[in-house]
Amino acid sequence: MIKALIFLLVILFVFFLFFFSSKFKRKTLVLSLSILIIVMFVLTLALFLLENNSEEKQYNPPKFDGEKVIPGFFDEKN
């Protein structure tokens, strides 16, 4: 969820930058776009490299034993 929020904020920044680009000088615009491209590249790289797909965890769902509900839990294999 945080990753999506970061990407939305960056896209909003891009639209803001292009909307007001006529007020900026060319050198400032090129510098901001290059920084933006570098940030987007780093965020995209982090999205793919930091994805944690640990298949060693097994989820045990909640159960009803007739009197009370036993909550679900993750069983980690070490």
Side-chain angles (χ1 to χ4, degrees):
M1 186 71 175
I2 297 295
K3 294 175 191 175
L5 179 65
I6 291 171
F7 278 117
L8 287 176
L9 288 176
V10 169
I11 289 172
L12 182 67
F13 177 72
V14 168
F15 285 132
F16 176 77
L17 188 66
F18 281 118
F19 183 71
F20 292 110
S21 64
S22 61
K23 297 180 182 179
F24 296 136
K25 294 182 181 178
R26 180 163 173 81
K27 197 174 204 180
T28 307
L29 187 64
V30 169
L31 179 65
S32 345
L33 285 177
S34 62
I35 290 172
L36 182 68
I37 289 171
I38 291 170
V39 167
M40 285 296 291
F41 177 73
V42 168
L43 288 176
T44 306
L45 190 65
L47 176 72
F48 291 116
L49 292 179
L50 296 178
E51 190 172 329
N52 187 5
N53 288 337
S54 178
E55 296 179 9
E56 295 181 8
K57 293 182 181 179
Q58 181 181 3
Y59 180 67
N60 296 320
K63 298 178 189 174
F64 182 67
D65 67 352
E67 294 179 13
K68 62 180 181 174
V69 176
I70 301 171
F73 61 93
F74 284 98
D75 185 22
E76 296 183 13
K77 299 177 183 176
N78 290 330

